[in-house]
Amino acid sequence: MIILGIETSCDETAAAIVKNGKEVLSSVIASSQEIHVSTGGIIPEQAARQQIISIVPVIEKALKKAKLTKNDIDAIAVTNGPGLIGSLLVGVETAKTLSFLWKKPIIPVNHLVGHIYANFVGQKKKPAFPILSLIVSGGHTDFVLIKKHGEITWLGGTRDDAAGEAFDKSARLLGLPYPGGPAISKEAEDVKKSNLSKYPRPLIKEDSLDFSFSGLKTSVLRSVKNKKLTKEERKQNSAEVQEAITDVLVSKSIKAIKKYEPKSFLLSGGVAANTRLREKLKEEVKNNKLTVELFIPKPILCTDNAVMIASAAYYNKNSTPWNKVSSNPQLSLKD
Ligand code: KG4
Ligand code: ZN
């Protein structure tokens, strides 16, 4: 089954064509990130306008790269939330229009579920159930337990800022460009990782699977306010921020794995692209002698893309009420 995935929940306009949920035939991502660097963050109206400009060329390019035509597509998968409403509307309305013109069914995909399914792409073997996943993105930090496709239970999450947001806001305070996560990670690259304990690790000792990152941002603000940081100080502070956030994420992940004993643990979302987080999680799973199988998508599949949307649609096609939103409910999916 060949699915065209469309993802426009934020500042990326993405289209991908994926066969049977795992084989990527093409993936195209246009980003309006450069525009947002000048404003230090995303202005939703601007992001939506860029989505309108990019969506059709991006879909055309995805078809061309895969050497396919509309006739080869079995279904259209589209992110229907959560995200910026203006940006989401561009993707959803485009998918509905194509569905009507091409006579193909639509499969709506939750963006966060999409992030999880990036772990089903390009892997030697599929994650086994029960699956525990930590979704760490710009707007979300959540633990979910998945017993089977379509059966997802939320276990805990952030009480305030998301992990990606903590990276982005701290980066801004340190004078680094948007998006802050990759910028902080780059600054921290050459800093020695031992003895980094300047910033708090909120809720790390608590048994709950909740997070709270807003206090961390305040600590960074207090520390750097009215100071002109030297290059070295900026690097050091970046490493400190990264270590504090990743310490909490890793410690809570280990707690969650011990409590729920899943067969697979899936790290998902944009922050999963963080090298330090990836290496620390692998190390701690090993140190704790956990038998869980750890999955982390390759970095390009961690941040927003349409491959994950097409993959999630494939595996959840029977559990999602896709036919209810198809512009033509008579259309049926063929395998
Ligand atoms: O999943 P994503 O692309 O978009 C949302 O759904 O929000 O995540 C974006 C977030 C941003 O906060 C960005 O700073 C963070 O992921 N991010 C990173 C890295 N790459 C992206 N954070 C830390 N290290 C990275 N390498
Ligand atoms: Zn995302």
Side-chain angles (χ1 to χ4, degrees), residues 8-295:
T8 66
S9 67
C10 194
D11 55 344
E12 267 91 24
T13 313
I17 299 174
V18 181
K19 191 174 173 184
N20 296 336
K22 53 182 186 296
E23 195 186 326
V24 182
L25 304 182
S26 70
S27 175
V28 179
I29 305 171
S31 177
S32 59
Q33 224 166 60
E34 272 173 29
I35 296 172
H36 311 303
V37 171
S38 61
T39 45
I42 296 173
I43 296 178
E45 171 70 17
Q46 253 184 345
R49 283 173 190 272
Q50 288 306 311
Q51 296 284 5
I52 294 172
I53 294 168
S54 304
I55 188 75
V56 172
V58 163
I59 293 172
E60 280 176 342
K61 205 166 166 188
L63 279 167
K64 200 169 165 197
K65 271 178 94 174
K67 297 192 175 67
L68 297 177
T69 70
K70 61 181 171 46
N71 300 328
D72 303 306
I73 303 297
D74 296 307
I76 300 164
V78 63
T79 305
N80 69 342
L84 304 174
I85 191 69
S87 290
L88 282 166
L89 273 171
V90 177
V92 170
E93 290 308 314
T94 306
K96 282 164 84 175
T97 307
L98 293 179
S99 162
F100 180 76
L101 292 173
W102 296 356
K103 299 187 173 41
K104 311 283 177 185
I106 296 184
I107 307 174
V109 176
N110 177 292
H111 181 75
L112 302 174
V113 176
H115 273 303
I116 297 169
Y117 280 82
N119 285 290
F120 281 73
V121 181
Q123 304 279 7
K124 277 189 209 113
K125 63 176 180 182
K126 269 191 289 187
F129 294 105
I131 290 170
L132 181 67
S133 181
L134 171 64
I135 310 162
V136 267
S137 70
H140 292 84
T141 306
D142 295 296
F143 278 113
V144 294
L145 188 66
I146 312 168
K147 293 208 179 106
K148 59 178 192 173
H149 297 298
E151 212 179 295
I152 304 181
T153 312
W154 183 84
L155 303 174
T158 187
R159 293 178 189 169
D160 39 58
D161 290 356
E165 198 177 350
F167 269 110
D168 294 338
K169 288 180 175 168
S170 302
R172 197 168 172 177
L173 293 169
L174 296 175
L176 295 169
Y178 176 85
I184 284 193
S185 171
K186 192 159 191 317
E187 288 289 303
E189 247 167 27
D190 314 323
V191 179
K192 238 176 93 201
K193 303 296 186 297
S194 50
N195 300 322
L196 296 174
S197 56
K198 179 174 175 182
Y199 294 122
R201 272 72 170 155
L203 308 185
I204 199 163
K205 296 223 166 77
E206 256 197 30
D207 270 344
S208 82
L209 296 181
D210 286 352
F211 298 93
S212 167
F213 289 111
S214 64
L216 175 64
K217 169 189 68 192
T218 313
S219 295
V220 178
L221 175 67
R222 282 215 191 93
S223 165
V224 305
K225 204 176 166 189
N226 301 328
K227 277 193 199 142
K228 191 161 172 15
L229 296 179
T230 64
K231 240 172 149 181
E232 278 318 304
E233 283 169 337
R234 186 170 291 117
K235 280 179 185 291
Q236 192 64 32
N237 273 284
S238 294
E240 291 279 6
V241 167
Q242 176 173 263
E243 212 60 15
I245 297 173
T246 54
D247 267 357
V248 179
L249 294 176
V250 171
S251 159
K252 292 275 179 178
S253 296
I254 300 298
K255 251 181 213 158
I257 295 169
K258 285 183 177 167
K259 183 167 177 190
Y260 289 96
E261 299 180 332
K263 286 216 172 99
S264 321
F265 183 82
L266 278 49
L267 191 61
S268 320
V271 180
N274 185 270
T275 313
R276 185 76 181 132
L277 174 61
R278 296 163 84 95
E279 67 187 23
K280 271 164 69 170
L281 187 60
K282 282 180 201 160
E283 219 173 274
E284 282 308 301
V285 165
K286 212 166 142 193
N287 289 345
N288 282 274
K289 299 189 173 53
L290 300 172
T291 52
V292 71
E293 187 133 22
L294 181 59
F295 288 82

